Amino acid sequence: MDIATLTPEAQFTLAELEAKFPPRTLSEGARVTRFGPSPTGFMHIGGLYTSLVSRRLAHQSGGRFFLRIEDTDKKREVDGTVGLILASLATYGLSPDEGEIADGQELGDYGPYRQSERKPIYQSCVRWLLEQGHAYPCFASADELQELRDEQAKRKVQPGYYGSWAIWRDKTAADVAAALAVGLPFTVRLRATGTRDERVTLPDTIRGDLEFPANQTDVVMLKADGMPTYHLAHVVDDHFMRTTDVIRGNEWLASYPMHAQMFDLMGWAPPRFAHISPIEKQDGGSRRKLSKRHDPEASVGWYMEAGYPLGAVTEYLLNLIDGRFEEWRTANPGVSHEDFKIELEHMSRSGALFDLAKLDSVSRDVVGAMSAKAIYDAALVWASGHHPDFAVRFAADPAYSQAILDIERHGERPRKDIVRWDQLHTDIGYFFDDRYAELLGEAQDVFKALQPAAPQGLLAKVAAAYDPAKDRDQWLEWLRELGLEFGYAPNAKTFKAAPDQYIGHFGDLAGVLRVVLAARRNTPDLHEMMQVMGKDRVVARLSAATRW
RNA sequence: GGCCCCUUCGUCCAGUGGUUAGGACGCGGCCCUUUCACGGCUGAAACACGGGUUCGAAUCCCGUAGGGGUCACCA
């Protein structure tokens, strides 16, 4: 049998490949990690999660994090996905050190970083395995394989291509030559070496030692189109790309024995493995993986659209990765989350349930720690892409917009009322005159509902006497006295003690001013709000309201 | 079904033989207060179950149950 015809694209000897992709020269303890998405349409939050773990681990150890596009299944590939993956990673500050960084542009010496462009490498390795007798061609058709499985199901034996079920495993060279001669399509399979009672141990960084039966399945390594399966590609790539730590989803746990066997047959030392549990979602009585079909929040794009601050998503994920993050964050407020060192050993073995309420809470804290300028910049970027109307208003007067965001945000206990950028246009819209005008009708209804606790005369007086130079306490005191003249109790307690002697209390008065100035009853501190609005705007709104 | 993984408040984590089982989010109450937000105090809320081992078990062992994964020429 002519092995060369089975691997037509093989070009290298193993020694040549070793020389081409030499071990990396990195400091002791440096980890090389990777993210290997397949471009099938979107970027899953789990991919961001895994990338975050991998990149952190590499960088905090002085190593490297690379991106490898696992596009060996051309049928499933969706155009544009690579761009989406690159953009998602970049957005969250997770761009790789190596690999594809832009359309057609690659960084690093261990490429190409698209598996579809590495066929010669895979086939070279397979050729070697064929030569050693560790692999063989299989001409079984899809139908034949199906019959095999049906038969196995009928006899209630392990399904799969193994042992005596592996019909092409021990065919003669003549049989192979004959099949080849009639142009039958074929795959190349591993000649499994595992015996019945043999066990293999996986020293998992997160889970500790795990034991499995040794692999006995003659798994496909090369598909009929000459592309590698995940199994072969993983082994070959992580060897020649010199990965030290494979961090992947726990759905790969079961196939570890195959991988271990392939590393062994190739004569390579396997990397360290860490199998992480996927983020799950409550579904009725049970939990399941976040799915693209049913859960919009499974997509990284969802968080971008919803206007979650980038740091909020990252910090929430960091919480799931390492429970000590929260404690660290409390002890180090305002410090970049980049400074937190994760430890795989602290990752939970069970899958975490995605909790939106917790994300929101983390987001509140993240935004709370941001400066008005930082919030402005981030929110404007978001608005430009997702809420153009607001973006225009917001960008018109940056100083004004930032002053708005700075209200009650500069002290020891900043406001924590912002969760996502998309709430901004409703929360602070009234500061902008055009938006305020739109809200006026509703505000007047509320105002009227407040009658008789809304004396226009009082508004006129406030407008006439408004002096921005007065500090908060002075102004409040002044207003309190004015309110008293108009029948407002100085505080709720006094009012409650004698409700029939007053038309309301100071809080009601403040409420009236809020409705007039902001077209809503919930606003930040009145005094500070008025300061930011400026005297002209305040007086104009108050004066106009005397005619409501 | 075989193999494998997982199991502490609703959720995310602490806890590695002796704790009133701790924190965070969420929820309730109280306080602060010009509304909202913040903040403070406080409450309800968990060791899946059954056997062992031990003076003593959330912690160790064995079962059981439940959940999840995997058994493709998909990754």
Side-chain angles (χ1 to χ4, degrees):
Chain A
M1 152 175 69
D2 186 0
I3 285 171
T5 65
L6 298 176
T7 52
E9 295 183 49
Q11 319 176 348
F12 312 104
T13 63
L14 255 34
E16 282 166 351
L17 288 172
E18 287 292 332
K20 196 171 155 72
F21 304 113
R24 295 167 185 266
T25 46
L26 289 168
S27 55
E28 180 75 20
R31 293 167 186 247
V32 179
T33 60
R34 78 328 191 248
F35 174 48
S38 46
T40 53
F42 85 144
M43 175 79 177
H44 196 281
I45 186 72
L48 203 66
Y49 182 58
T50 314
S51 299
L52 182 60
V53 176
S54 303
R55 190 171 183 276
R56 277 296 164 94
L57 220 57
H59 287 185
Q60 70 192 24
S61 67
R64 293 176 77 75
F65 167 65
F66 68 85
L67 175 69
R68 182 172 69 218
I69 303 298
E70 312 212 332
D71 56 347
T72 55
D73 187 354
K74 289 298 170 189
K75 297 183 294 294
R76 293 207 315 159
E77 193 166 335
V78 176
D79 271 0
T81 309
V82 173
L84 207 99
I85 290 167
L86 259 28
S88 298
L89 290 177
T91 298
Y92 287 95
L94 298 176
S95 289
D97 307 312
E98 265 177 40
E100 194 159 335
I101 48 156
D103 195 31
Q105 267 184 276
E106 280 192 352
L107 238 45
D109 301 329
Y110 292 83
Y113 291 89
R114 275 198 189 214
Q115 292 184 328
S116 59
E117 291 166 19
R118 298 171 64 79
K119 261 170 118 176
I121 299 171
Y122 304 120
Q123 293 204 4
S124 298
C125 294
V126 169
R127 183 180 61 187
W128 184 83
L129 284 169
L130 284 162
E131 285 164 359
Q132 305 303 307
H134 292 143
Y136 64 90
C138 169
F139 295 84
S141 67
D143 286 346
E144 284 177 287
L145 292 173
Q146 188 54 51
E147 281 169 33
L148 206 91
R149 278 191 290 270
D150 291 344
E151 183 63 21
Q152 287 168 328
K154 216 167 81 184
R155 296 206 207 166
K156 291 188 164 49
V157 298
Q158 263 311 296
Y161 201 89
Y162 63 94
S164 57
W165 296 96
I167 46 187
W168 281 88
R169 183 178 168 113
D170 298 311
K171 290 281 196 208
T172 62
D175 290 334
V176 171
L180 235 30
V182 292
L184 240 42
F186 64 90
T187 61
V188 178
R189 289 181 183 269
L190 171 74
R191 191 184 297 279
T193 57
T195 56
R196 195 181 302 277
D197 304 315
E198 193 182 345
R199 310 278 292 172
V200 289
T201 301
L202 161 60
D204 190 276
T205 313
I206 297 171
R207 295 155 195 268
D209 283 0
L210 267 20
E211 234 188 47
F212 301 89
N215 174 55
Q216 297 186 64
T217 300
D218 290 357
V219 60
V220 171
M221 293 189 295
L222 233 43
K223 303 189 271 190
D225 61 1
M227 283 284 204
T229 56
Y230 170 87
H231 309 294
L232 197 247
H234 149 57
V235 170
V236 170
D237 288 346
D238 284 320
H239 175 71
F240 285 121
M241 290 178 169
R242 309 296 174 178
T243 306
T244 63
D245 290 80
V246 170
I247 295 152
R248 51 160 40 163
N250 68 178
E251 69 269 23
W252 295 111
L253 234 24
S255 45
Y256 171 76
M258 282 174 192
H259 304 157
Q261 198 166 79
M262 288 163 74
F263 274 109
D264 186 49
L265 258 16
M266 291 302 305
W268 299 334
R272 277 186 296 267
F273 288 88
H275 290 90
I276 68 183
S277 297
I279 298 171
E280 299 176 349
K281 168 161 179 138
Q282 190 75 42
D283 186 18
S286 70
R287 32 171 71 198
R288 57 169 169 76
K289 272 169 83 167
L290 231 34
S291 96
K292 174 186 177 182
R293 262 183 77 82
H294 306 289
D295 316 308
E297 71 271 32
S299 162
V300 172
W302 184 82
Y303 300 86
M304 303 203 235
E305 272 162 42
Y308 275 102
L310 275 11
V313 176
T314 305
E315 295 208 8
Y316 174 66
L317 257 22
L318 244 17
N319 260 318
L320 297 184
I321 292 168
D322 192 328
R324 299 165 316 151
F325 175 74
E326 200 155 19
E327 195 186 331
W328 177 89
R329 174 43 90 207
T330 308
N332 300 277
V335 177
S336 167
H337 59 69
E338 297 271 352
D339 293 349
F340 177 73
K341 289 197 181 346
I342 62 167
E343 279 176 40
L344 245 29
E345 291 74 8
H346 284 96
M347 274 194 89
S348 134
R349 272 106 1 240
S350 54
L353 223 43
F354 188 83
D355 185 355
L356 215 73
K358 182 71 178 184
L359 204 217
D360 284 358
S361 164
V362 169
S363 191
R364 250 180 253 282
D365 286 335
V366 167
V367 180
M370 289 168 78
S371 67
K373 172 83 166 73
I375 295 173
Y376 176 76
D377 291 343
L380 187 56
V381 167
W382 177 82
S384 304
H386 301 274
H387 201 122
D389 289 0
F390 179 64
V392 169
R393 210 173 282 145
F394 204 43
D397 185 347
Y400 183 48
S401 296
Q402 285 175 43
I404 294 166
L405 293 172
D406 201 42
I407 293 174
E408 292 183 303
R409 198 172 295 283
H410 32 61
E412 279 293 290
R413 288 170 9 195
R415 288 186 78 80
K416 291 185 179 173
D417 51 347
I418 301 176
V419 175
R420 323 153 157 203
W421 307 138
D422 71 346
Q423 78 191 68
L424 245 33
H425 75 279
T426 54
D427 285 7
I428 66 172
Y430 60 81
F431 277 98
F432 304 98
D433 293 330
D434 55 348
R435 182 64 186 145
Y436 174 76
E438 289 170 16
L439 298 167
L440 226 43
E442 207 178 310
Q444 287 178 6
D445 291 343
V446 175
F447 181 79
K448 279 170 188 143
L450 251 32
Q451 296 283 14
Q456 267 89 351
L458 185 147
L459 296 179
K461 280 207 163 186
V462 176
Y466 180 57
D467 178 7
K470 278 200 176 99
D471 74 17
R472 186 169 174 277
D473 290 345
Q474 285 177 321
W475 183 77
L476 240 36
E477 213 29 62
W478 175 83
L479 186 66
R480 206 182 299 274
E481 279 165 26
L482 182 70
L484 204 50
E485 286 175 30
F486 282 82
Y488 285 100
N491 56 56
K493 213 178 214 169
T494 310
F495 176 67
K496 271 185 192 156
D500 38 340
Q501 289 180 33
Y502 300 99
I503 59 169
H505 60 83
F506 190 63
D508 296 322
L509 170 55
V512 170
L513 291 181
R514 286 195 161 86
V515 170
V516 168
L517 291 168
R520 49 158 39 199
R521 303 187 72 173
N522 302 347
T523 81
D525 178 75
L526 242 189
H527 177 73
E528 203 172 333
M529 179 179 89
M530 290 166 79
Q531 294 273 313
V532 168
M533 284 182 166
K535 184 170 184 181
D536 291 351
R537 187 177 273 112
V538 167
V539 170
R541 292 184 182 187
L542 285 170
S543 305
T546 60
R547 295 186 296 275
W548 285 5

